[in-house]
Amino acid sequence: MTFGFASSSAASLSTSASAASASRLLEPAEWAAAGIPLLRNPREVISGLHARHRPRPSTAIVAVLDPDERLCASASFTRRPAPADGWMFRNALLAQLRRVIPHDLRRRTPVRTAILVYCREGDAHWTEEDGAWMWGLRDACTLHGLRCGAYITLTHDGWQVLGEGRSGRHPNADSVPEPFATSETPPLAPRTGGPVSEVLRRVAAR
């Protein structure tokens, strides 16, 4: 006994798969309406992560903050060139979170917040790649029991918290990291690597 699909069915499935992939991203308006908690001092947080991980374009830094915005853990990895896919980004972020910090799924309400800093080429305007990272961050936070926090791009022009309009020129993709002494948070050893999809990343040597 054999089974198969008619060509029309195969075309329908292909269209459905493409539609599902396209839906795995968030538009700026959706992100702004999601109630993402604001960072009290984004420049200090971004500068601290920049100093710890020294990102170059295509580097993603995921960090977990406590309610007082102190850094609990962070990890960085480099994304390989590939079509942007929120589901794969979610898996990459979730793998990093599982490496560096226990989940909070037993809590009724999340108390820790995960943020994402993505260093990339281009200007600070929203792209579909940003939308896929937003979708991936939100889903990874849900699966790890965390609040979904800010998504920040780091380009040659500076940093920008997408969905909020807050931005600054330093740090940027070209700037020299500031010394840890400028931050109130004691330095943590950067965490890199881990079992993440090879389609997305290679380990960033530190």
Side-chain angles (χ1 to χ4, degrees):
M1 196 174 202
T2 60
F3 297 91
F5 294 98
S7 59
S8 59
S9 299
S12 176
L13 286 174
S14 177
T15 302
S16 298
S18 298
S21 178
S23 68
R24 291 194 289 260
L25 60 84
L26 293 177
E27 299 280 350
E30 294 176 291
W31 184 257
I36 305 299
L38 302 178
L39 287 170
R40 291 192 296 272
N41 194 336
R43 187 184 184 281
E44 181 177 314
V45 172
I46 297 163
S47 294
L49 292 173
H50 184 265
R52 289 177 175 86
H53 295 275
R54 300 173 180 264
R56 307 306 302 164
S58 296
T59 302
I61 305 171
V62 61
V64 179
L65 308 178
D66 71 9
D68 295 320
E69 241 172 60
R70 290 188 296 253
L71 185 62
C72 300
S74 65
S76 64
F77 59 98
T78 302
R79 174 183 181 265
R80 282 185 173 180
D85 186 297
W87 183 79
M88 297 184 77
F89 289 171
R90 183 277 306 274
N91 290 345
L93 293 169
L94 188 58
Q96 295 293 337
L97 288 170
R98 286 171 173 165
R99 285 184 55 250
V100 299
I101 199 162
H103 68 73
D104 277 348
L105 294 172
R106 291 188 177 88
R107 293 182 178 273
R108 288 188 176 183
T109 305
V111 296
R112 296 186 293 190
T113 302
I115 66 169
L116 178 61
V117 179
Y118 184 53
C119 183
R120 62 168 173 78
E121 301 286 355
D123 57 32
H125 295 298
W126 181 89
T127 66
E128 288 192 357
E129 182 184 27
D130 294 324
W133 279 116
M134 289 170 168
W135 190 95
L137 176 62
R138 185 185 66 177
D139 217 42
C141 288
T142 299
L143 294 174
H144 207 62
L146 302 170
R147 287 200 307 171
C148 179
Y151 172 69
I152 301 149
T153 57
L154 197 66
T155 66
H156 299 292
D157 295 329
W159 57 268
Q160 176 164 310
V161 185
L162 267 68
E164 295 183 20
R166 290 191 291 175
S167 61
R169 293 185 178 181
H170 298 282
N172 56 56
D174 302 312
S175 60
V176 176
E178 296 181 2
F180 283 117
T182 63
S183 172
E184 295 178 1
T185 307
L188 299 177
R191 300 292 296 271
T192 58
V196 185
S197 171
E198 290 301 323
V199 176
L200 284 178
R201 61 172 290 277
R202 61 179 171 77
V203 176
R206 297 289 180 257

